[in-house]
Amino acid sequence: MAECWSIEDARDLYGIHRWGADYFDLNEEGDVVVNLPGEGDPEAVVLKELIENLRDRGRSLPLILRFRNLLDSRIEALNSSFRRAAEKHGYQGAYRGVYPIKVNQQQQVLEEITACGCRYHFGLEVGSRPELLAALAYMHDPEALLICNGYKDEAFIDLALQATRMGLQIILVVEMPGELPLIINRAEALGIRPHLGVRFRLSTKSEGLWAGSGGDRSTFGLNATQLVDAVDLLKENNYLDCLRLFHYHQGSQLPNIRAIREAVLEAVRVYVALAGEGAPMGLLDLGGGLAIDYDGSHTNSPSSCNYRMDEYAGTLVEVVKESCEHAGLPHPTLITESGRAVVAPCSVLVFNILDVACFSHPERPEAPDPDNHEVIHKLAEVCERAGTGQPQECYNEALFYRDQVRALFNHGQVSLRERALAERTFWHISTVLATEIRELPYVPEELEQLEDQLTDFYYGNFSVFQSLPDHWAIDHLFPVMPLHRHLEEPTRRAILADLTCDSDGRIDRFADRETVRHHLPVHPKEPGEAYLIGVFLTGAYQETLGDLHNLLGDPNVVSVGLEDGKPTVTHEVRGDSVADVLSYVEYEPGKLEARFLHFADQAVARGEITAAQRTEAIAAFQSSLEGYTYFEG
Ligand code: PLP
């Protein structure tokens, strides 16, 4: 244990104070805690202890921890930010947030959001018929809004209209020019006056990973000409009095507050124009995009944002107020469709490290035997000199002799044992040089990557494709850190490889204060230790976008809440079994079992196994079918 290492150093190294938003921290014992807000002071729950309890209850890793109190707290924070902004700017209109179901559609999440959101009349946004059905089952507050975006067929429109008749405030948002005639047609057929909205394609350009969701070439929404045509169609059919809402969506994870301000300025101009056409309006839906500071840098980098929730709300409220007052219009009800800002902090993915592959080699390898090949001796001479100055020369020579040994091996002139000794020697030289160059004022370019080449692989019990698809697909950064041992300095550097047989199946980019680093500082894994890693802020999009690469299925999910001030498991969802994932890809578990049984019977008939061995093999097959798709042990 390094004497000068402190908890403060660990906080700084992993940035937990920067991205943790007061929800996550380290306690004095060096364990990660989640601070669950409750009635009084937040309750600090030690994640490692929680995991140990869950493992005692038979829940295997990997698992997703979902914190209900954080969901509650995020909805509260969002509503409070808009309340404070309205007070500050003298805004007369209400705020009615809606949660876009697609961001995390899990039933537990929806149930919790509708339950704790009802005191703010927090509504829902849906983008498909299945999402509409989920929303209609859970949200019955007549003062909340149910915003219907996305493509809408006749069945979708009919259901939305029927629920409107039952007293819900359902807004059918016209996204495509062809939708409006169909909506009017169905409204006529059913004799129901719809609440209508229009989605507009702003010309304001956005920034970040989802910049394509906004601007002239965005996929959804009407352009100016289509909007004018829609207004004319509404007028012709006497439906203009149904047009109440104007909507735009600039993109998810908007990193820059200036772009948000520009977009809302343009949007209010269109809102004012629609009111000028004679539509009653009253609802201004500013879409999603409120960002999460995943890397804790507070900058406009794609995984961060240069504003806080209060500034976001203040900017929107101020611009809308000024523009509407200028046009002589009352302040509209403001709607945001914030998804990630509500759910991202609520989930943590936890997995254990199964194995480690080390490349750095601090121990000096044994000296070569006199009868070893001459090149091995040359490499050993370089090894003698490593660390005594001239690192570049040593590195060049080490590379040269290492490659010569490989070539000689391919020609049968060097044995496998000699090659192994040469490689150990090469890694030792690299390790010594990597330490040496840390002290240098200038490091030659070739040597800069030495540290990266020495980074360990820590093999984790998880699948990037299933649990962190955005890391794999779009280089999104999530905060990652060990859940314990923070009283010790983490002396190793690792890339986290997953269980899939794919070179992409790894976490190899980590947030650093100013940049992205290509390793995670970790502790040496002790034999038999369950070394636990947490990936934080994973509640948005990750669960449903994940796929079945290598047939690794959904992990276990455990919802935790405070009951009488104590952390309590409120809900558990078992992850996919092997039989489950096989059935998703068209296998029938019963048939699989029958085929294996037949194969075992034939093996008995051929005399390859006994009847007792057949029973054992079949039992192993059956219990694997029932088992978890991840490493169990
Ligand atoms: N609304 C619409 C129409 C969206 O497409 C999205 C996602 O991109 C959202 C809301 C949610 O965005 P975010 O999660 O960034 O708040």
Side-chain angles (χ1 to χ4, degrees):
M1 204 179 297
E3 266 178 33
C4 51
W5 183 257
S6 71
I7 290 284
E8 227 21 79
D9 293 322
R11 283 196 179 106
D12 192 51
L13 181 66
Y14 295 102
I16 193 165
H17 269 178
R18 298 191 289 274
W19 53 259
D22 295 336
Y23 294 133
F24 301 100
D25 198 0
L26 293 177
N27 66 10
E28 289 308 306
E29 283 72 48
D31 295 322
V32 176
V33 294
V34 55
N35 293 315
L36 293 186
E39 302 282 297
D41 287 341
E43 179 71 25
V45 178
V46 180
L47 293 187
K48 183 178 140 230
E49 287 172 11
L50 191 58
I51 296 294
E52 278 163 7
N53 288 340
L54 291 169
R55 292 180 95 177
D56 290 346
R57 289 162 66 118
R59 279 287 158 252
S60 307
L61 295 170
L63 59 78
I64 294 173
L65 291 173
R66 222 185 257 143
F67 297 105
R68 297 171 49 164
N69 299 65
L70 297 193
L71 262 184
D72 211 340
S73 154
R74 298 302 290 173
I75 292 175
E76 207 268 324
L78 191 57
N79 282 277
S80 303
S81 286
F82 275 93
R83 197 199 57 239
R84 280 194 294 273
E87 281 165 11
K88 180 172 166 198
H89 295 283
Y91 193 80
Q92 310 290 317
Y95 169 68
R96 288 280 182 276
V98 294
Y99 169 68
I101 296 186
K102 73 168 159 205
V103 182
N104 188 329
Q105 300 110 327
Q106 306 297 320
Q107 182 268 340
Q108 281 292 301
V109 175
L110 193 64
E111 188 174 333
E112 189 61 28
I113 286 178
T114 46
C116 61
C118 70
R119 63 181 187 277
Y120 304 105
H121 304 300
F122 204 70
L124 295 173
E125 184 264 2
V126 300
S128 68
R129 193 139 42 90
E131 289 183 357
L132 175 64
L133 264 64
L136 290 177
Y138 280 91
M139 210 212 55
H140 301 143
D141 176 358
E143 288 195 48
L145 295 164
L146 204 168
I147 309 276
C148 299
N149 291 329
Y151 281 111
K152 291 171 269 299
D153 59 10
E154 194 172 310
F156 186 126
I157 294 166
D158 282 7
L159 184 56
L161 288 172
Q162 278 153 1
T164 305
R165 185 154 55 188
M166 291 159 74
L168 292 183
Q169 285 201 64
I170 301 189
I171 316 279
L172 287 168
V173 179
V174 178
E175 301 243 15
M176 312 292 284
E179 271 178 356
L180 193 51
L182 182 61
I183 295 174
I184 294 176
N185 183 297
R186 294 315 303 157
E188 287 290 311
L190 295 174
I192 301 168
R193 297 298 283 178
H195 303 303
L196 294 178
V198 278
R199 176 166 173 174
F200 188 67
R201 270 185 224 185
L202 296 183
S203 60
T204 308
K205 279 257 181 282
S206 171
E207 292 173 28
L209 291 171
W210 287 272
S213 309
D216 288 336
R217 293 279 303 154
S218 56
T219 330
F220 288 109
L222 308 179
N223 62 27
T225 305
Q226 290 164 337
L227 186 61
V228 171
D229 289 348
V231 168
D232 289 344
L233 191 70
L234 288 170
K235 283 183 181 168
E236 278 161 30
N237 289 276
N238 291 324
Y239 272 81
L240 190 63
D241 62 318
C242 297
L243 181 58
R244 298 182 50 206
L245 175 140
F246 174 78
H247 167 53
Y248 71 93
H249 173 66
Q250 216 184 335
S252 192
Q253 182 65 17
L254 299 169
N256 195 341
I257 193 71
R258 284 187 293 284
I260 294 173
R261 181 180 280 273
E262 277 170 35
V264 67
L265 259 170
E266 183 186 350
V268 197
R269 291 289 309 135
V270 188
Y271 173 88
V272 167
L274 289 173
E277 291 282 340
M281 304 309 289
L283 301 172
L284 179 53
D285 178 353
L286 312 158
L290 172 56
I292 286 280
D293 193 0
Y294 291 94
D295 67 14
S297 66
H298 307 323
T299 62
N300 62 349
S301 72
S303 298
S304 183
C305 52
N306 62 7
Y307 58 91
R308 292 183 192 279
M309 199 185 262
D310 272 353
E311 188 182 351
Y312 173 77
T315 304
L316 298 180
V317 164
E318 186 192 356
V319 173
V320 176
K321 177 183 181 263
E322 279 175 10
S323 305
C324 285
E325 283 179 359
H326 194 251
L329 284 182
H331 304 163
T333 295
L334 286 185
I335 300 154
T336 61
E337 302 180 354
S338 299
R340 123 185 2 258
V342 172
V343 291
C346 310
S347 300
V348 181
L349 171 73
V350 180
F351 57 86
N352 50 322
I353 295 298
L354 299 170
D355 214 338
V356 175
C358 291
F359 293 86
S360 69
H361 211 292
E363 309 82 40
R364 196 190 186 93
E366 68 276 20
D369 286 341
D371 59 345
N372 279 152
H373 196 284
E374 185 196 340
V375 185
I376 312 267
H377 286 277
K378 295 262 188 218
L379 196 56
E381 278 167 38
V382 179
C383 189
E384 290 289 323
R385 275 187 282 122
T388 59
Q390 299 180 320
Q392 186 155 27
E393 197 179 305
C394 274
Y395 186 62
N396 292 342
E397 286 181 32
L399 263 185
F400 174 76
Y401 291 127
R402 196 260 332 246
D403 291 347
Q404 272 211 329
V405 170
R406 287 180 175 175
L408 288 164
F409 175 77
N410 290 347
H411 288 100
Q413 291 169 28
V414 153
S415 71
L416 182 62
R417 284 182 188 280
E418 284 175 306
R419 176 178 165 167
L421 173 61
E423 287 185 2
R424 281 202 300 285
T425 310
F426 175 79
W427 286 120
H428 177 69
I429 296 169
S430 302
T431 308
V432 172
L433 297 181
T435 317
E436 187 180 11
I437 59 172
R438 270 183 219 154
E439 312 300 325
L440 295 183
Y442 165 75
V443 177
E445 204 179 318
E446 268 184 322
L447 297 186
E448 262 175 4
Q449 292 174 7
L450 211 49
E451 296 260 29
D452 287 347
Q453 286 164 17
L454 293 170
T455 301
D456 299 338
F457 280 121
Y458 271 45
Y459 294 94
N461 191 12
F462 77 113
S463 157
V464 168
F465 305 92
Q466 178 60 256
S467 295
L468 301 168
D470 280 347
H471 180 85
W472 167 67
I474 53 170
D475 289 349
H476 190 70
L477 290 177
F478 293 94
V480 187
M481 68 186 289
L483 294 188
H484 49 129
R485 293 179 58 184
H486 291 291
L487 292 179
E488 283 171 60
E489 183 173 1
T491 50
R492 305 217 54 103
R493 299 160 162 235
I495 282 171
L496 304 175
D498 74 3
L499 284 187
T500 65
C501 323
D502 201 308
S503 57
D504 289 0
R506 52 165 75 174
I507 311 178
D508 55 5
R509 274 164 288 110
F510 304 88
D512 202 356
R513 193 195 287 270
E514 274 142 26
T515 168
V516 174
R517 66 178 166 223
H518 293 276
H519 66 266
L520 182 72
V522 288
H523 307 91
K525 183 178 167 344
E526 304 292 349
E529 177 198 27
Y531 190 62
L532 300 175
I533 301 285
V535 187
F536 295 80
L537 313 182
T538 56
Y541 302 101
Q542 302 315 294
E543 280 181 63
T544 29
L545 287 180
D547 70 27
L548 280 179
H549 199 40
N550 276 122
L551 295 186
L552 294 167
D554 278 340
N556 294 319
V557 181
V558 178
S559 295
V560 177
L562 283 185
E563 271 173 27
D564 300 326
K566 296 259 165 305
T568 311
V569 171
T570 56
H571 204 84
E572 290 179 67
V573 183
R574 187 177 180 266
D576 285 326
S577 67
V578 173
D580 290 335
V581 294
L582 286 169
S583 66
Y584 302 153
V585 285
E586 301 172 5
Y587 296 94
E588 286 177 34
K591 272 195 190 162
L592 287 178
E593 205 177 319
R595 289 176 74 100
F596 185 74
L597 221 118
H598 179 63
F599 173 59
D601 284 341
Q602 286 176 325
V604 174
R606 287 194 301 269
E608 285 164 357
I609 56 170
T610 64
Q613 286 166 337
R614 170 193 174 276
T615 308
E616 262 177 50
I618 289 168
F621 190 93
Q622 285 166 338
S623 84
S624 269
L625 264 185
E626 295 294 304
Y628 202 20
T629 58
Y630 294 89
F631 190 93
E632 292 183 291

